[in-house]
Coordinates of all heavy atoms in Angstrom, one line a residue:
K44 N 22.6 11.0 6.6 CA 21.8 9.8 6.2 C 22.3 9.1 5.1 O 23.0 9.6 4.2 CB 20.3 10.3 5.9 CG 19.6 11.0 7.1 CD 19.4 10.0 8.2 CE 18.7 10.8 9.4 NZ 18.5 10.0 10.5
K45 N 22.0 7.8 5.0 CA 22.5 7.0 3.9 C 21.7 7.3 2.6 O 20.6 7.7 2.6 CB 22.3 5.5 4.2 CG 23.0 5.0 5.5 CD 23.2 3.5 5.5 CE 23.8 3.1 6.7 NZ 25.2 3.3 6.8
T46 N 22.4 7.1 1.5 CA 21.8 7.4 0.2 C 21.9 6.1 -0.7 O 22.7 5.3 -0.4 CB 22.5 8.6 -0.5 OG1 23.9 8.2 -0.8 CG2 22.4 9.8 0.3
F47 N 21.1 6.1 -1.7 CA 21.1 5.0 -2.7 C 21.1 5.7 -4.0 O 20.2 6.3 -4.4 CB 19.8 4.2 -2.5 CG 19.8 3.0 -3.4 CD1 20.6 1.9 -3.3 CD2 18.9 3.0 -4.5 CE1 20.5 0.8 -4.1 CE2 18.8 2.0 -5.4 CZ 19.6 0.9 -5.2
F48 N 22.2 5.6 -4.7 CA 22.5 6.3 -6.0 C 22.2 7.8 -5.9 O 21.5 8.4 -6.7 CB 21.6 5.7 -7.1 CG 22.1 4.3 -7.4 CD1 21.3 3.2 -7.2 CD2 23.3 4.1 -8.0 CE1 21.7 1.9 -7.5 CE2 23.7 2.8 -8.4 CZ 22.9 1.7 -8.1
G49 N 22.6 8.4 -4.7 CA 22.4 9.8 -4.6 C 21.0 10.3 -4.0 O 20.8 11.4 -3.7
L50 N 20.1 9.3 -3.8 CA 18.8 9.6 -3.3 C 18.8 9.3 -1.8 O 19.2 8.2 -1.4 CB 17.7 8.8 -4.0 CG 17.5 9.0 -5.5 CD1 16.5 8.0 -6.0 CD2 17.1 10.5 -5.8
T51 N 18.4 10.3 -1.0 CA 18.3 10.1 0.4 C 17.2 9.2 0.8 O 16.1 9.3 0.3 CB 18.2 11.5 1.2 OG1 19.2 12.3 0.7 CG2 18.2 11.3 2.7
L52 N 17.5 8.2 1.7 CA 16.4 7.3 2.1 C 15.8 7.7 3.5 O 15.9 7.0 4.5 CB 17.1 5.9 2.3 CG 17.8 5.4 1.0 CD1 18.5 4.1 1.4 CD2 16.8 5.2 -0.1
E53 N 15.2 8.8 3.5 CA 14.6 9.3 4.7 C 13.3 10.1 4.3 O 13.1 10.5 3.2 CB 15.5 10.2 5.5 CG 15.8 11.5 4.8 CD 16.8 12.4 5.7 OE1 17.7 11.8 6.3 OE2 16.6 13.6 5.7
S54 N 12.4 10.3 5.3 CA 11.2 10.9 5.1 C 11.4 12.4 4.9 O 12.4 13.0 5.3 CB 10.2 10.7 6.2 OG 10.7 11.3 7.4
Q55 N 10.5 13.1 4.2 CA 10.5 14.5 4.0 C 10.3 15.3 5.3 O 9.6 14.8 6.2 CB 9.5 15.0 3.0 CG 9.8 14.5 1.6 CD 11.1 15.1 1.1 OE1 11.4 16.2 1.2 NE2 12.0 14.2 0.4
R56 N 10.8 16.5 5.4 CA 10.6 17.3 6.6 C 9.7 18.5 6.2 O 9.7 18.9 5.0 CB 11.9 17.8 7.1 CG 12.8 16.8 7.5 CD 13.3 17.0 8.9 NE 14.1 15.9 9.4 CZ 13.8 15.3 10.5 NH1 12.8 15.6 11.2 NH2 14.6 14.3 10.9
D57 N 9.0 19.0 7.1 CA 8.2 20.2 7.0 C 8.8 21.3 7.9 O 9.3 20.9 9.0 CB 6.7 20.0 7.3 CG 6.0 19.3 6.2 OD1 6.5 19.2 5.1 OD2 4.9 18.8 6.6
M58 N 8.7 22.5 7.5 CA 9.1 23.6 8.3 C 7.8 24.4 8.7 O 7.1 24.9 7.8 CB 10.1 24.6 7.6 CG 10.5 25.8 8.5 SD 11.9 26.8 7.8 CE 11.4 27.1 6.2
L59 N 7.6 24.4 10.0 CA 6.4 25.1 10.5 C 6.8 26.4 11.1 O 7.7 26.4 12.0 CB 5.6 24.2 11.5 CG 4.9 23.0 11.0 CD1 5.8 22.0 10.5 CD2 4.0 22.5 12.1
L60 N 6.1 27.5 10.7 CA 6.4 28.8 11.2 C 5.2 29.3 12.0 O 4.1 29.5 11.4 CB 6.7 29.8 10.1 CG 7.8 29.3 9.1 CD1 7.8 30.2 7.9 CD2 9.2 29.4 9.8
F61 N 5.4 29.6 13.3 CA 4.3 30.1 14.1 C 4.7 31.5 14.6 O 5.7 31.6 15.3 CB 4.1 29.2 15.4 CG 3.7 27.8 15.1 CD1 4.7 26.8 14.9 CD2 2.4 27.4 15.0 CE1 4.4 25.5 14.7 CE2 2.1 26.1 14.8 CZ 3.1 25.1 14.6
L62 N 3.9 32.5 14.4 CA 4.0 33.8 15.0 C 3.1 33.9 16.2 O 1.9 33.9 16.0 CB 3.7 34.9 14.0 CG 4.1 36.3 14.3 CD1 5.6 36.4 14.6 CD2 3.7 37.2 13.2
V63 N 3.7 33.9 17.4 CA 2.9 33.7 18.6 C 3.2 34.9 19.6 O 4.3 35.4 19.6 CB 3.1 32.4 19.3 CG1 2.8 31.2 18.3 CG2 4.6 32.2 19.8
E64 N 2.3 35.1 20.5 CA 2.5 36.1 21.5 C 3.6 35.6 22.5 O 3.6 34.4 22.8 CB 1.2 36.4 22.2 CG 1.0 37.7 22.9 CD 1.8 37.8 24.2 OE1 2.0 36.8 24.9 OE2 2.3 38.9 24.5
E65 N 4.4 36.5 22.9 CA 5.6 36.1 23.7 C 5.3 35.3 25.0 O 6.1 34.5 25.4 CB 6.6 37.3 24.0 CG 6.0 38.3 25.0 CD 7.0 39.4 25.3 OE1 8.2 39.2 25.0 OE2 6.6 40.4 25.8
H66 N 4.2 35.6 25.7 CA 3.9 35.0 26.9 C 3.4 33.5 26.7 O 3.4 32.7 27.6 CB 2.8 35.7 27.7 CG 3.3 37.1 28.2 ND1 3.1 38.2 27.5 CD2 3.9 37.4 29.3 CE1 3.7 39.2 28.1 NE2 4.2 38.7 29.3
L67 N 3.0 33.2 25.5 CA 2.6 31.8 25.1 C 3.7 31.0 24.5 O 3.5 29.8 24.3 CB 1.4 31.9 24.2 CG 0.2 32.7 24.7 CD1 -0.9 32.8 23.6 CD2 -0.4 32.1 25.9
S68 N 4.8 31.7 24.1 CA 5.7 31.0 23.2 C 6.4 29.8 23.9 O 6.6 28.7 23.2 CB 6.8 32.0 22.7 OG 7.6 32.5 23.8
R69 N 6.8 29.9 25.1 CA 7.5 28.8 25.7 C 6.6 27.5 25.9 O 7.0 26.4 25.7 CB 8.1 29.2 27.1 CG 8.9 28.1 27.8 CD 10.1 27.8 27.0 NE 10.7 26.5 27.4 CZ 11.8 26.0 27.0 NH1 12.5 26.6 26.0 NH2 12.3 24.9 27.5
K70 N 5.4 27.8 26.3 CA 4.4 26.7 26.5 C 4.2 26.0 25.1 O 4.2 24.8 25.0 CB 3.1 27.2 27.0 CG 2.0 26.1 27.2 CD 0.8 26.6 27.9 CE 0.0 27.6 27.1 NZ -1.3 28.0 27.6
I71 N 4.0 26.8 24.0 CA 3.8 26.2 22.7 C 5.1 25.4 22.3 O 4.9 24.3 21.8 CB 3.5 27.3 21.7 CG1 2.1 28.0 22.1 CG2 3.4 26.7 20.3 CD1 1.8 29.2 21.3
L72 N 6.2 26.0 22.5 CA 7.5 25.3 22.1 C 7.6 24.0 22.9 O 8.0 23.0 22.2 CB 8.7 26.2 22.4 CG 10.0 25.8 21.9 CD1 10.0 25.8 20.4 CD2 11.1 26.8 22.4
E73 N 7.3 23.9 24.1 CA 7.4 22.7 24.9 C 6.4 21.6 24.4 O 6.7 20.5 24.3 CB 7.2 23.0 26.4 CG 8.4 23.7 27.0 CD 8.1 24.2 28.4 OE1 7.0 24.0 29.0 OE2 9.1 24.7 29.0
R74 N 5.2 22.1 24.1 CA 4.2 21.1 23.5 C 4.6 20.6 22.2 O 4.4 19.4 21.9 CB 2.8 21.8 23.4 CG 2.2 22.2 24.7 CD 1.7 21.1 25.6 NE 0.8 20.2 24.9 CZ -0.5 20.4 24.8 NH1 -1.1 21.4 25.3 NH2 -1.3 19.5 24.1
I75 N 5.2 21.4 21.4 CA 5.7 20.9 20.1 C 6.8 19.9 20.3 O 6.8 18.8 19.7 CB 6.3 22.1 19.2 CG1 5.1 23.0 18.7 CG2 7.1 21.6 18.1 CD1 5.6 24.3 18.1
A76 N 7.8 20.2 21.2 CA 8.9 19.2 21.5 C 8.3 17.9 22.0 O 8.8 16.8 21.6 CB 9.8 19.9 22.4
E77 N 7.4 18.0 22.8 CA 6.8 16.7 23.4 C 6.1 15.9 22.3 O 6.3 14.7 22.2 CB 5.8 17.1 24.5 CG 5.2 15.9 25.2 CD 4.2 16.4 26.3 OE1 4.5 17.4 27.0 OE2 3.1 15.7 26.4
A78 N 5.3 16.6 21.5 CA 4.5 15.8 20.5 C 5.4 15.3 19.4 O 5.2 14.2 18.9 CB 3.5 16.8 19.8
A79 N 6.5 16.0 19.1 CA 7.4 15.5 18.1 C 8.4 14.5 18.6 O 9.0 13.8 17.8 CB 8.2 16.7 17.5
G80 N 8.6 14.4 19.9 CA 9.5 13.4 20.5 C 10.9 13.8 20.3 O 11.8 12.9 20.2
F81 N 11.2 15.1 20.3 CA 12.6 15.6 20.1 C 13.6 15.0 21.1 O 14.7 14.6 20.7 CB 12.7 17.1 20.1 CG 12.0 17.8 19.0 CD1 11.6 19.1 19.2 CD2 11.8 17.2 17.8 CE1 10.9 19.8 18.2 CE2 11.1 17.9 16.8 CZ 10.7 19.2 17.0
E82 N 13.2 14.9 22.3 CA 14.2 14.4 23.4 C 14.3 12.9 23.4 O 15.3 12.4 23.7 CB 13.7 14.9 24.8 CG 13.8 16.4 24.9 CD 15.1 17.0 24.6 OE1 16.2 16.5 25.1 OE2 15.2 18.1 24.0
K83 N 13.2 12.2 23.0 CA 13.2 10.7 23.0 C 13.9 10.1 21.8 O 14.4 9.0 21.8 CB 11.8 10.2 23.2 CG 11.1 10.6 24.5 CD 9.7 10.1 24.5 CE 9.0 10.6 25.7 NZ 7.6 10.2 25.6
N84 N 13.8 10.8 20.7 CA 14.2 10.3 19.4 C 15.2 11.3 18.7 O 14.8 12.1 18.0 CB 13.0 10.1 18.5 CG 11.9 9.2 19.1 OD1 12.2 8.2 19.6 ND2 10.7 9.7 19.1
P85 N 16.5 11.1 18.9 CA 17.5 12.0 18.3 C 17.3 11.9 16.8 O 17.0 10.9 16.2 CB 18.8 11.3 18.7 CG 18.5 10.6 20.0 CD 17.1 10.1 19.8
G86 N 17.4 13.1 16.2 CA 17.2 13.2 14.7 C 15.8 13.4 14.3 O 15.5 13.4 13.1
S87 N 14.8 13.5 15.2 CA 13.4 13.6 14.9 C 13.0 15.0 14.5 O 11.9 15.2 14.1 CB 12.5 13.1 16.0 OG 12.8 13.8 17.2
G88 N 13.9 16.0 14.8 CA 13.6 17.3 14.4 C 14.1 18.3 15.4 O 14.8 17.9 16.4
V89 N 13.8 19.6 15.2 CA 14.2 20.6 16.1 C 13.2 21.8 16.1 O 12.5 21.9 15.1 CB 15.6 21.1 15.7 CG1 15.6 21.8 14.4 CG2 16.2 22.1 16.7
A90 N 13.1 22.5 17.2 CA 12.2 23.7 17.2 C 13.0 24.7 18.0 O 13.7 24.4 19.0 CB 10.9 23.4 17.8
F91 N 12.8 26.0 17.6 CA 13.4 27.1 18.3 C 12.6 28.3 18.1 O 11.7 28.4 17.3 CB 14.9 27.3 17.8 CG 15.0 27.5 16.3 CD1 15.0 28.7 15.8 CD2 15.1 26.3 15.5 CE1 15.2 28.9 14.4 CE2 15.3 26.5 14.2 CZ 15.3 27.7 13.6
Q92 N 12.9 29.4 18.9 CA 12.2 30.6 18.8 C 13.1 31.8 18.7 O 14.3 31.7 19.2 CB 11.3 30.8 20.0 CG 12.0 31.0 21.4 CD 11.0 31.3 22.5 OE1 9.8 31.4 22.3 NE2 11.5 31.3 23.7
I93 N 12.7 32.8 18.0 CA 13.5 34.0 17.8 C 12.5 35.2 18.1 O 11.3 35.1 17.9 CB 14.2 34.1 16.4 CG1 13.1 34.0 15.3 CG2 15.2 33.0 16.3 CD1 13.8 34.2 13.9
D94 N 13.1 36.3 18.5 CA 12.4 37.5 18.8 C 11.9 38.2 17.4 O 12.7 38.1 16.5 CB 13.2 38.6 19.5 CG 13.5 38.1 20.9 OD1 12.7 37.4 21.5 OD2 14.6 38.5 21.4
V95 N 10.7 38.7 17.5 CA 10.2 39.5 16.3 C 10.2 40.9 16.7 O 9.6 41.3 17.6 CB 8.8 39.0 15.9 CG1 8.2 39.8 14.9 CG2 8.8 37.5 15.5
E96 N 10.9 41.7 15.9 CA 11.0 43.1 16.2 C 9.7 43.9 15.9 O 9.3 44.7 16.6 CB 12.1 43.8 15.3 CG 12.4 45.2 15.7 CD 13.6 45.8 15.0 OE1 14.5 45.0 14.7 OE2 13.5 47.0 14.7
D97 N 9.0 43.5 14.8 CA 7.8 44.1 14.4 C 7.0 43.2 13.5 O 7.5 42.3 12.9 CB 8.1 45.4 13.6 CG 7.0 46.4 13.5 OD1 5.9 46.2 14.1 OD2 7.2 47.5 12.9
A98 N 5.7 43.4 13.5 CA 4.8 42.5 12.7 C 3.6 43.3 12.3 O 3.1 44.2 13.0 CB 4.4 41.3 13.4
I99 N 3.1 43.1 11.1 CA 1.9 43.8 10.5 C 1.0 42.7 10.0 O 1.4 41.7 9.5 CB 2.3 44.8 9.4 CG1 3.2 45.9 9.9 CG2 1.1 45.4 8.7 CD1 3.8 46.8 8.9
G100 N -0.3 43.0 10.1 CA -1.3 42.1 9.6 C -1.9 41.1 10.6 O -2.5 40.1 10.2
L101 N -1.8 41.5 11.9 CA -2.2 40.6 12.9 C -3.5 41.1 13.7 O -3.8 40.6 14.7 CB -1.1 40.3 13.9 CG 0.1 39.7 13.4 CD1 1.2 39.7 14.4 CD2 -0.1 38.3 12.9
G102 N -4.1 42.1 13.1 CA -5.2 42.7 13.8 C -6.3 41.8 14.2 O -6.8 41.9 15.4
G103 N -6.7 40.9 13.4 CA -7.8 39.9 13.7 C -7.3 38.9 14.8 O -8.1 38.5 15.7
Q104 N -6.1 38.6 14.9 CA -5.6 37.7 15.9 C -5.3 38.3 17.2 O -5.5 37.7 18.3 CB -4.2 37.0 15.4 CG -4.4 36.2 14.2 CD -3.2 35.5 13.7 OE1 -2.2 35.4 14.5 NE2 -3.1 35.2 12.4
I105 N -5.0 39.6 17.2 CA -4.7 40.3 18.5 C -6.0 40.3 19.4 O -5.8 40.1 20.6 CB -4.2 41.7 18.2 CG1 -2.8 41.6 17.7 CG2 -4.2 42.6 19.5 CD1 -2.1 42.9 17.3
M106 N -7.1 40.5 18.8 CA -8.4 40.5 19.6 C -8.6 39.1 20.3 O -9.0 39.1 21.4 CB -9.6 40.9 18.8 CG -9.5 42.3 18.2 SD -9.1 43.6 19.5 CE -10.6 43.5 20.5
C107 N -8.3 38.1 19.5 CA -8.4 36.7 20.1 C -7.4 36.5 21.2 O -7.7 35.8 22.1 CB -8.2 35.8 18.9 SG -8.2 34.0 19.4
L108 N -6.2 37.0 21.0 CA -5.1 36.8 21.9 C -5.3 37.6 23.2 O -4.8 37.1 24.3 CB -3.8 37.1 21.3 CG -3.3 36.2 20.2 CD1 -2.1 36.8 19.5 CD2 -2.9 34.8 20.9
L109 N -5.9 38.7 23.2 CA -6.0 39.6 24.4 C -6.6 38.8 25.6 O -6.0 38.9 26.7 CB -6.8 40.8 24.1 CG -6.1 41.9 23.3 CD1 -7.1 43.0 23.0 CD2 -4.9 42.4 24.0
D110 N -7.7 38.1 25.4 CA -8.3 37.4 26.5 C -7.3 36.3 27.1 O -7.2 36.1 28.3 CB -9.6 36.7 26.1 CG -10.7 37.8 25.8 OD1 -10.6 38.9 26.4 OD2 -11.6 37.5 25.0
E111 N -6.7 35.6 26.2 CA -5.8 34.5 26.6 C -4.6 35.0 27.3 O -4.1 34.4 28.3 CB -5.5 33.6 25.4 CG -4.8 32.3 25.8 CD -4.7 31.3 24.6 OE1 -5.4 31.5 23.6 OE2 -4.0 30.4 24.8

Side-chain angles (χ1 to χ4, degrees):
K44 299 295 181 183
K45 298 200 184 286
T46 62
F47 181 74
F48 292 112
L50 300 173
T51 304
L52 303 174
E53 66 180 41
S54 66
Q55 292 295 316
R56 299 233 178 237
D57 286 342
M58 179 169 50
L59 288 69
L60 306 168
F61 299 90
L62 190 59
V63 302
E64 205 284 327
E65 70 177 341
H66 292 93
L67 303 174
S68 65
R69 183 64 194 183
K70 177 172 70 171
I71 296 168
L72 191 64
E73 288 172 358
R74 294 289 305 275
I75 289 171
E77 182 181 321
F81 293 155
E82 297 301 321
K83 295 178 188 172
N84 305 311
S87 60
V89 64
F91 53 94
Q92 66 179 351
I93 57 177
D94 291 328
V95 173
E96 185 173 328
D97 201 0
I99 297 174
L101 301 172
Q104 294 180 22
I105 288 176
M106 295 310 293
C107 175
L108 288 168
L109 283 176
D110 293 333
E111 191 165 349

